[in-house]
Amino acid sequence: MKSTRLFLAVAVPVMLAVALTSYRKDKVGEAGKITITTTFTGELNEFYLAGSGQATIDWGDGKIDDVMLKPLPDNSWDMFEDEGWMFPHHYYPPPDEADLWEEEYIPDEIPDTITITITGDVTALVISSPAEPDGSQYYGVTRIDVSKMPMLRFLDCSAEKLTSLDVSKNIELVNLFCQGNELSELNLTSNTALEYLNCSINNLSTLDISQNTALEGVECIGSNLTSLTIANTLSALEYLICYDNKFDAAALDDIFSALPDRTGMERGMLEINIRGCNECENKAGNKNWLLNAGM
């Protein structure tokens, strides 16, 4: 009897712990994991992170940091006002600066890329890669996998070197800023909670936001778009800024015909080139949109 009780005293807590861990992994996807591949020059890399509990950052150079996450503030941009959300890391220096560093920090070979892994309950991620003083980007993220972080609500991966971005598993995503990359497609059909999107300065030819009924603001400037699919069900949409694209008259007619009607609400703001669309201004005005076609 004593041995049975002892077995139960040991086995039950272990079984419960295993079950809880299994449940947690199913819920957040391997405890919530983000994988980032970035070009490597030995410069400072830093992230802004929000979430809950402890997270682990494997910087890819043998150094691992355990950090405590602060919750995402009501105003997401407050993250940039407090260093409590910022997690920087100095890598090994490039060869021409190696003599400024202690020998123990210098690897035998400096890799072309580094893979960084962030594990934990992360709800916000902002990637900040260094740039030359003139603003040109010489160092940046080439790949990011956020498919195992379904609770992610805020993602800023702008001004990097991404050619693809899959956010189909991030159904709680509210803010997405991916401007200044090399994206050729962006599928947002699963992101029905999305409120703000900036995908400007990419290589997109088409963009469909017709399913994103929570959207309040969209910027897709200079993205080589020939087609933008919207819907009159986007009743929360307050501004749409999409000049410097490649819309022909038919594409413009589709956009203006599908504009949501803001009659009785605050006037919406629309910035778009309307070459070849003679009725566009009237269509915008009839739906209570202020049109800026001079861009």
Side-chain angles (χ1 to χ4, degrees):
M1 179 66 71
K2 286 184 178 179
S3 61
T4 301
R5 288 177 179 174
L6 179 60
F7 171 78
L8 291 174
V10 174
V12 170
V14 170
M15 292 169 65
L16 287 173
V18 170
L20 180 60
T21 300
S22 177
Y23 167 78
R24 179 176 176 78
K25 285 187 176 183
D26 288 341
K27 182 177 178 62
V28 301
E30 295 185 15
K33 183 169 70 175
I34 297 173
T35 305
I36 299 167
T37 303
T38 180
T39 54
F40 181 76
T41 64
E43 291 291 333
L44 170 74
N45 202 349
E46 63 187 26
F47 302 118
Y48 289 84
L49 297 173
S52 62
Q54 180 174 292
T56 299
I57 307 176
D58 184 338
W59 294 101
D61 61 353
K63 297 179 183 178
I64 299 175
D65 289 337
D66 291 323
V67 301
M68 291 302 298
L69 299 179
K70 297 174 64 174
L72 182 66
D74 292 336
N75 181 358
S76 302
W77 299 109
D78 286 345
M79 285 192 298
F80 301 103
E81 304 298 327
D82 188 331
E83 292 185 357
W85 281 282
M86 183 177 71
F87 300 94
H89 181 68
H90 285 278
Y91 285 102
Y92 306 109
D96 60 344
E97 296 180 14
D99 59 335
L100 303 178
W101 292 64
E102 296 180 19
E103 186 68 27
E104 63 181 292
Y105 288 106
I106 305 172
D108 294 333
E109 295 183 4
I110 295 178
D112 294 328
T113 61
I114 283 285
T115 298
I116 302 164
T117 303
I118 303 171
T119 307
D121 289 340
V122 177
T123 56
L125 168 64
V126 179
I127 301 171
S128 179
S129 295
E132 293 284 11
D134 64 1
S136 61
Q137 190 81 29
Y138 67 99
Y139 175 94
V141 170
T142 57
R143 183 178 181 275
I144 179 171
D145 181 357
V146 291
S147 62
K148 296 174 182 176
M149 197 67 71
M151 74 290 293
L152 195 66
R153 300 182 68 242
F154 186 106
L155 175 59
D156 185 342
C157 53
S158 56
E160 299 295 336
K161 296 176 183 277
L162 295 172
T163 57
S164 64
L165 179 62
D166 182 0
V167 290
S168 60
K169 298 291 193 285
N170 308 105
I171 59 175
E172 296 186 24
L173 196 62
V174 175
N175 299 276
L176 175 59
F177 303 94
C178 55
Q179 67 271 23
N181 280 283
E182 301 168 19
L183 302 177
S184 57
E185 62 178 341
L186 186 61
N187 186 344
L188 301 173
T189 54
S190 300
N191 309 108
T192 54
L194 195 64
E195 295 179 5
Y196 295 99
L197 168 67
N198 190 336
C199 58
S200 302
I201 315 174
N202 275 288
N203 294 321
L204 305 171
S205 58
T206 63
L207 179 64
D208 186 345
I209 55 172
S210 61
Q211 305 301 310
N212 308 103
T213 54
L215 274 173
E216 297 180 23
V218 176
E219 296 181 51
C220 50
I221 305 161
S223 290
N224 293 310
L225 291 172
T226 59
S227 171
L228 173 61
T229 304
I230 63 175
N232 54 22
T233 53
L234 303 183
S235 57
L237 191 63
E238 298 176 352
Y239 66 85
L240 175 59
I241 305 176
C242 51
Y243 54 84
D244 284 347
N245 281 291
K246 299 179 179 179
F247 303 125
D248 60 18
L252 287 170
D253 185 67
D254 289 341
I255 293 171
F256 280 81
S257 296
L259 273 178
D261 192 341
R262 293 190 59 81
T263 301
M265 297 184 285
E266 184 178 351
R267 179 175 289 189
M269 181 176 67
L270 174 61
E271 296 185 6
I272 187 172
N273 306 106
I274 58 170
R275 293 181 298 270
C277 183
N278 297 326
E279 295 299 317
C280 283
E281 188 168 0
N282 289 334
K283 288 182 178 181
N286 290 339
K287 296 183 178 182
N288 199 28
W289 284 83
L290 177 63
L291 175 65
N292 185 349
M295 296 294 177

